[in-house]
Amino acid sequence: MTRPDGDPFSAALLDLGLIPLDRPLPLLLEQVADLAADVLGGRPALSVTVVGADSPRTVGTSSQVAAALDEVQYTAGEGPCVHAARTGEVAVVADTEREERWPGLATAAAAAGLRGVVSMPLPSPRPVAGGLNLYLQLPLGAGGARERAERFAHHAAVPVANGQLHARSVQLAQNLQAALESRAVIDQAKGILIERYRLTASQAFDALARVSNETNTKVRDLAAHLVDTGEFPPA
């Protein structure tokens, strides 16, 4: 939305801070792409790169072409998205038709009609773990276009990083809840076996583990079946 001062670019930066963090990453990136289109021109393609234990990977995109261009860089082992995610430094390609540092990415992006690239490291209190990539239809060589694109990417990286942090927190809470529920049902099943067969707690768990292995059934599922039906081993 346009603010009273009439500056669409400033309005877009403010709107970045209003994006709800509980949205799935692709939807969040689509909203960022919409704002980028309004103030940077063309239809940008966005992606998020994270660096894991092995190699970089794309965890979300606003467009499939962004994922394809990321993959070109992962295969080559170089490119703006790889550089930003690994080093924490902003990487900019002003014009893919004239880029010489990363020829593979330049050729693929130009063929897709994308001329400018900005890869912005995600803010993090830990060592850099990833970056936000903007693939733009317009080159960034003149009229302050590069400065505006970098400034936009700098602001956009904040809600993207916060959205990822929110998603990880939700997943952690869900995993913890599942673990607690699994432990509770396993303890119930052990109690049944202890009472029924006069076993120790250790022997009861060993019995569950043995039948789990023999039937190729998860211990939690086996325990739940025992609690629900009283059958052990399952028929």
Side-chain angles (χ1 to χ4, degrees):
M1 67 183 78
T2 302
R3 299 291 188 261
D5 60 12
D7 179 1
F9 188 77
S10 296
L13 298 186
L14 290 174
D15 287 343
L16 285 171
L18 300 177
I19 296 176
L21 302 182
D22 58 354
R23 292 185 176 179
L25 184 58
L27 294 181
L28 191 155
L29 289 174
E30 285 182 13
Q31 187 164 357
V32 174
D34 288 341
L35 292 171
D38 290 342
V39 296
L40 299 179
R43 181 62 190 178
L46 276 63
S47 68
V48 175
T49 294
V50 297
V51 178
D54 299 322
S55 60
R57 61 189 177 92
T58 298
V59 296
T61 70
S62 69
S63 170
Q64 187 56 41
V65 68
L69 294 177
D70 287 352
E71 193 59 39
V72 168
Q73 297 169 76
Y74 303 155
T75 300
E78 62 178 11
C81 81
V82 174
H83 181 85
R86 284 181 170 163
T87 69
E89 300 173 352
V90 181
V92 178
V93 174
D95 190 343
T96 56
E97 293 188 355
R98 300 184 179 185
E99 174 61 36
E100 297 180 352
R101 293 168 297 172
W102 301 303
L105 176 276
T107 299
L114 297 166
R115 299 282 300 277
V117 182
V118 178
S119 290
M120 180 69 57
L122 296 178
S124 172
R126 299 172 297 175
V128 174
L132 171 65
N133 311 303
L134 276 70
Y135 298 99
L136 308 169
Q137 289 184 322
L138 303 178
L140 303 174
R146 174 171 177 158
E147 179 183 353
R148 286 165 64 86
E150 286 191 49
R151 187 180 173 197
F152 181 91
H154 177 77
H155 282 76
V158 175
V160 170
N162 289 340
Q164 280 194 290
L165 180 61
H166 174 80
R168 285 197 296 268
S169 298
V170 170
Q171 186 62 55
L172 180 61
Q174 292 174 342
N175 290 344
L176 178 59
Q177 182 63 32
L180 292 173
E181 292 173 356
S182 293
R183 177 164 182 171
V185 75
I186 291 172
D187 284 344
Q188 285 181 276
K190 285 167 56 181
I192 293 173
L193 295 179
I194 289 170
E195 177 66 22
R196 182 180 297 176
Y197 299 111
R198 305 297 183 184
L199 302 178
T200 66
S202 178
Q203 289 171 334
F205 184 80
D206 288 345
L208 286 169
R210 175 179 54 79
V211 175
S212 169
N213 185 60
E214 291 174 352
T215 61
N216 195 28
T217 305
K218 292 181 179 179
V219 171
R220 186 213 180 278
D221 293 341
L222 179 63
H225 181 80
L226 172 57
V227 171
D228 291 341
T229 68
E231 294 179 358
F232 187 82

